[in-house]
């Protein structure tokens, strides 16, 4: 990963578009929201096929519909948030200072400087091939939200490589 020596502004790097697949498989909140949208319907279908629930009882489908709407809202918010920060394209060098995983999820923490102020940022992530490769002390590139400079995302986790 090559870290920029100074912030870059919009339009300088057009390959920084985060893919939806990468957002869902990397970002913990997006992954959980995705599960809320789809997983319970799989469970419902299995329960129906196994004849463990009565199809005329609408309690479970109503609950799942509410969970689907909530999950879709959180997923849309998270995808929009990440894509907005990437669209602004304020890239900064950062250094990973903590890598923590517990089972299938973790947190990557990094230090960066924006407008002469030092920030400690972190991303809650899913454990995958890419997130498992990072190491403490590793230089990375983060994209920073210009309106909330304490919010940043590690660029290379969210773009196709």
């Amino acid at each position: 990963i090559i870290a920029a020596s100074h912030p870059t502004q919009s339009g300088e790097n057009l390959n920084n578009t985060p893919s939806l697949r990468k957002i869902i498989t990397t970002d913990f909140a997006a992954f959980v929201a995705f599960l809320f949208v789809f997983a319970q319907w799989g469970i419902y279908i299995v329960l129906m096929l196994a004849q463990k629930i009565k199809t005329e009882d609408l309690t479970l489908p109503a609950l799942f519909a509410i969970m689907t709407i909530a999950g879709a809202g959180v997923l849309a918010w998270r995808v929009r948030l990440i894509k907005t920060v990437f669209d602004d394209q304020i890239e900064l060098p950062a250094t990973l200072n903590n890598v923590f995983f517990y089972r299938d999820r973790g947190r990557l923490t990094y230090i960066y400087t924006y407008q002469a102020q030092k920030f400690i940022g972190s991303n809650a992530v899913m454990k995958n091939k890419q997130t498992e490769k990072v190491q403490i002390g590793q230089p990375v590139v983060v994209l920073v939200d210009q309106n909330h400079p304490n919010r940043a995302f590690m660029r290379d986790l969210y773009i196709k490589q």
Side-chain angles (χ1 to χ4, degrees):
I1 300 172
I2 299 171
S5 59
H6 63 282
T8 59
Q9 287 287 326
S10 204
E12 289 184 31
N13 187 346
L14 299 177
N15 295 327
N16 282 350
T17 304
S19 80
L20 179 61
R21 183 185 64 81
K22 289 288 243 176
I23 291 171
I24 291 170
T25 59
T26 300
D27 187 76
F28 179 72
F31 181 78
V32 171
F34 179 81
L35 288 181
F36 264 71
V37 172
F38 295 103
Q40 73 264 1
W41 292 109
I43 293 167
Y44 184 72
I45 290 169
V46 168
L47 290 174
M48 275 184 29
L49 293 174
Q51 298 179 347
K52 298 290 183 186
I53 57 172
K54 296 178 182 175
T55 54
E56 56 274 354
D57 183 5
L58 298 179
T59 305
L60 199 55
L63 176 64
F64 285 173
I66 291 168
M67 291 170 58
T68 298
I69 292 167
V74 170
L75 181 60
W77 164 74
R78 196 67 184 166
V79 168
R80 183 169 183 221
L81 172 67
I82 292 169
K83 287 192 175 216
T84 298
V85 172
F86 274 72
D87 286 346
D88 289 343
Q89 294 195 354
I90 298 176
E91 294 183 353
L92 298 170
T95 303
L96 275 170
N97 73 332
N98 194 20
V99 176
F100 170 78
F101 284 102
Y102 178 73
R103 296 187 184 180
D104 61 348
R105 59 194 170 275
R107 181 165 297 278
L108 307 177
T109 306
Y110 41 83
I111 299 171
Y112 60 97
T113 302
Y114 180 65
Q115 296 180 342
Q117 186 175 351
K118 191 175 268 191
F119 292 91
I120 298 176
S122 67
N123 298 134
V125 296
M126 296 302 299
K127 191 178 206 180
N128 60 38
K129 288 179 187 177
Q130 197 167 8
T131 59
E132 283 184 298
K133 289 180 187 177
V134 299
Q135 298 177 2
I136 294 173
Q138 175 181 341
V140 295
V141 176
V142 295
L143 284 111
V144 178
D145 184 335
Q146 63 186 348
N147 299 318
H148 303 280
N150 57 332
R151 180 183 299 147
F153 298 96
M154 287 177 54
R155 180 191 67 194
D156 293 346
L157 296 181
Y158 295 93
I159 58 175
K160 292 180 184 179
Q161 305 252 328

